[in-house]
Amino acid sequence: MRRIDQIIVAIIGALAVAALGFVAFTSFPAQPMPHALDALGSDNQVSVAHEPWWIFRPRSKEPTVGLIIYPGALVDARAYAPTARAIASKGYVVVITPMLFNLALFGEERAKQVTPFFPKVRQWALAGHSLGGTAAANYVGKNEGVRGLVLWASYPADNNDLSRRNLIAASIYGTNDTLATPDKILGARTRLPAATKFIAIEGGNHAQFGWYGAQSGDGAATLAREQQQEQIVNATLDVLQQLEHLP
């Protein structure tokens, strides 16, 4: 075998090993807690469909406002089911979109597949946790039709300036989050509309934006997950309620 052929074979082999390693690494996301799995069943308030995404619909009304949730990096999408259910029970359709390789940056355009599925929904908001929030903000930056953005322990990428967009936006963060720190969240303020609400959850951390247990490198929360989730849900509902009043 010629020297050049040996080099090509070695490069191909190295790339194959790297690709297999990447797939293996992303194939084991943080798993949902039992409470999250319990939230995946329908009841007399909320119906839950499992295909083509996780879809939560209120039984009390036909929603005209919807929310699409982008999961955090390497987190099983089902870990956001309790949050989705709580929001849906207030009269909104909520869709959680699982992501390729469990990384939202590989699925920024998922919202474009979701919205035509619900022709009676007039206004949409995107919510995203951590890297999912960055991906959601990227999508909103490229698509004028989305009027709401809710960032959960997240912020727009450096090259994504949404400051001039006509958005109803909220940035919700935990003061004990040592991954998406308060300094990082507030440092991105200029890339969001001036009217964006910044909501600090005192004692909240990164992992308690979902239901998947602890997370490496995160700070310790000083309030219960249920308490942090209640504040997350209420702040998200505030954005959706404002969207209801848009033409």
Side-chain angles (χ1 to χ4, degrees), residues 46-228:
V46 177
S47 68
V48 183
H50 300 176
E51 293 291 342
W53 315 280
W54 294 103
I55 303 170
F56 298 75
R57 299 178 190 252
R59 295 192 185 274
S60 59
K61 61 184 284 189
E62 184 67 45
T64 59
V65 173
L67 177 71
I68 301 169
I69 296 174
Y70 282 9
L74 301 180
V75 178
D76 189 305
R78 296 173 296 173
Y80 301 91
T83 318
R85 171 181 286 280
I87 294 168
S89 71
K90 300 300 182 181
Y92 304 98
V93 62
V94 183
V95 180
I96 308 174
T97 55
M99 296 295 182
L100 179 66
F101 300 125
N102 297 296
L103 293 169
L105 291 181
F106 286 102
E108 286 182 6
E109 297 295 311
R110 288 289 167 88
K112 191 172 289 185
Q113 302 167 10
V114 173
T115 53
F117 199 78
F118 302 91
K120 294 185 179 180
V121 174
R122 296 183 297 102
Q123 300 290 351
W124 285 98
L126 262 64
H129 177 213
S130 193
L131 190 63
T134 301
N138 285 347
Y139 180 85
V140 170
K142 300 170 187 174
N143 293 272
E144 296 283 341
V146 178
R147 297 292 302 279
L149 176 65
V150 187
L151 299 173
W152 296 340
S154 185
Y155 46 90
D158 290 346
N159 62 351
N160 185 18
D161 185 0
L162 302 174
S163 60
R164 297 183 183 275
R165 283 291 307 276
N166 184 20
L167 287 172
I168 297 172
S171 178
I172 310 164
Y173 62 98
T175 61
N176 288 17
D177 188 337
T178 52
L179 296 171
T181 64
D183 285 347
K184 291 178 181 177
I185 300 294
L186 298 175
R189 185 188 290 271
T190 57
R191 298 197 294 277
L192 289 166
T196 300
K197 289 185 178 180
F198 284 79
I199 299 107
I201 300 178
E202 293 296 331
N205 70 356
H206 199 77
Q208 289 190 169
F209 277 86
W211 294 80
Y212 57 90
Q215 187 164 349
S216 177
D218 194 11
T222 56
L223 79 171
R225 191 179 302 266
E226 291 80 2
Q227 293 174 306
Q228 182 166 339

